[in-house]
Amino acid sequence: MRETDFVSSFAKGLNTIEAFGETRQRLSIAEASKLTGLDRATVRRSLLTLAELGYAEYDGKFFTLTPKILRLGHAYLSATPLPTIIQPYLDQLSERAGHNASASVLDGTEIVYIARASQRRVMSINLTPGSRLPAYCASMGRVLLSGLPESEARAVLARSEIKANTANTKTDTEMLMAEFRQVRAQGYAVIDQELEIGLCSIAVPVENDRGQVVAAINIGAPAAYVAAADMAERYLPLLRETQKMLRLVLR
């Protein structure tokens, strides 16, 4: 891309939007400036523009995003056929497994949920399309990271905020890289309460008809109901079947 084609003010505005999050729902100009690394004047203009367009509210000190901001994410979901194609297969998978089934794509250091079919809530957080989780400790994240060249996967880990969510969470880079190799070799990933105590999950990659990995799907179940060691025997055949059907319809 030519330098003259890059709109820096637009990029800074998007950077400002990304400063908001689940634990950062209200931000002052100073806080947003610190989070984005942009100077206060630039952040102030971006936030006031968002407020003027109805994407944010301003109470004189703090800015809060409004529901209108969802239009940006909805534009992706509406313009991308992947979630629409996957959803009925997820519904069927969830029904047959008797547990939640989800689909996600990799976005930087995180996975983004693009479709979900719920049987029961097994996590303390409510996951819906658009929700994000760290890729390194999620089953779908490990599947997607294992599909990258090792140098790229290592670079993602270097940019990730790796922390021990539970006593089971793998946080050592070399241990995670070894895990990616195992996932790549066996074609699936199992998480044993690494993201949250009480939750096990198993994921497989989703490929299109050209063999390109375009997403991942998983089944999540309470650890009290099924041990991580039994996830593959119980649910991998269902995931493989769904994986095969999706490859036939994804172009």
Side-chain angles (χ1 to χ4, degrees):
M1 183 180 69
R2 295 176 302 176
E3 186 176 348
T4 55
D5 292 330
F6 187 81
V7 183
S8 61
S9 58
F10 182 59
K12 291 172 182 176
L14 292 174
N15 197 6
T16 301
I17 291 173
E18 291 181 346
F20 292 88
E22 185 177 353
T23 60
R24 302 186 300 273
Q25 297 179 5
R26 299 168 69 246
L27 292 176
S28 66
I29 292 172
E31 289 169 338
S33 175
K34 183 178 180 180
L35 287 166
T36 60
L38 301 172
D39 63 78
R40 293 193 184 192
T42 298
V43 169
R44 179 178 179 275
R45 289 194 297 271
S46 296
L47 288 171
L48 289 175
T49 300
L50 289 171
E52 179 66 23
L53 295 175
Y55 289 105
E57 291 181 347
Y58 182 43
D59 64 7
K61 182 176 182 181
F62 293 102
F63 289 85
T64 307
L65 296 181
T66 68
K68 187 177 180 180
I69 203 76
L70 293 174
R71 293 185 184 180
L72 303 180
H74 181 70
Y76 166 77
L77 293 174
S78 299
T80 307
L82 189 58
T84 303
I85 294 172
I86 287 179
Q87 188 63 57
Y89 293 91
L90 270 190
D91 291 337
Q92 183 182 60
L93 175 62
S94 178
E95 183 69 28
R96 293 179 65 188
H99 295 288
N100 298 341
S102 306
S104 70
V105 294
L106 186 65
D107 182 23
T109 62
E110 300 174 312
I111 56 168
V112 181
Y113 281 68
I114 60 171
R116 185 163 168 83
S118 299
Q119 292 292 317
R120 55 178 66 87
R121 185 168 172 179
V122 296
M123 296 186 69
S124 61
I125 57 175
N126 184 30
L127 295 173
T128 59
S131 295
R132 292 172 173 267
L133 290 175
Y136 75 93
C137 59
S139 60
M140 290 187 287
R142 290 205 179 149
V143 162
L144 294 169
L145 288 172
S146 72
L148 299 177
E150 290 211 0
S151 59
E152 291 184 25
R154 192 178 290 275
V156 171
L157 291 180
R159 297 194 306 271
S160 299
E161 185 182 344
I162 298 178
K163 61 180 181 179
N165 303 296
T166 74
N168 290 0
T169 310
K170 295 181 177 67
T171 57
D172 179 76
T173 296
E174 295 309 318
M175 185 179 294
L176 286 167
M177 291 301 299
E179 183 81 6
F180 298 160
R181 295 183 196 106
Q182 181 178 341
V183 170
R184 189 183 309 119
Q186 65 191 19
Y188 67 91
V190 173
I191 293 293
D192 182 10
Q193 305 179 80
E194 291 191 49
L195 187 63
E196 183 173 299
I197 289 295
L199 174 68
C200 295
S201 65
I202 180 171
V204 298
V206 172
E207 299 177 338
N208 60 20
D209 62 350
R210 297 183 298 280
Q212 299 169 322
V213 175
V214 295
I217 56 174
N218 86 339
I219 291 172
Y225 180 85
V226 54
D230 298 329
M231 292 288 286
E233 180 180 357
R234 186 170 298 193
Y235 302 120
L236 188 57
L238 293 177
L239 285 164
R240 292 286 196 215
E241 187 177 336
T242 305
Q243 181 186 48
K244 184 177 180 180
M245 290 188 293
L246 284 170
R247 182 165 183 170
L248 295 175
V249 298
L250 291 174
R251 299 288 183 263

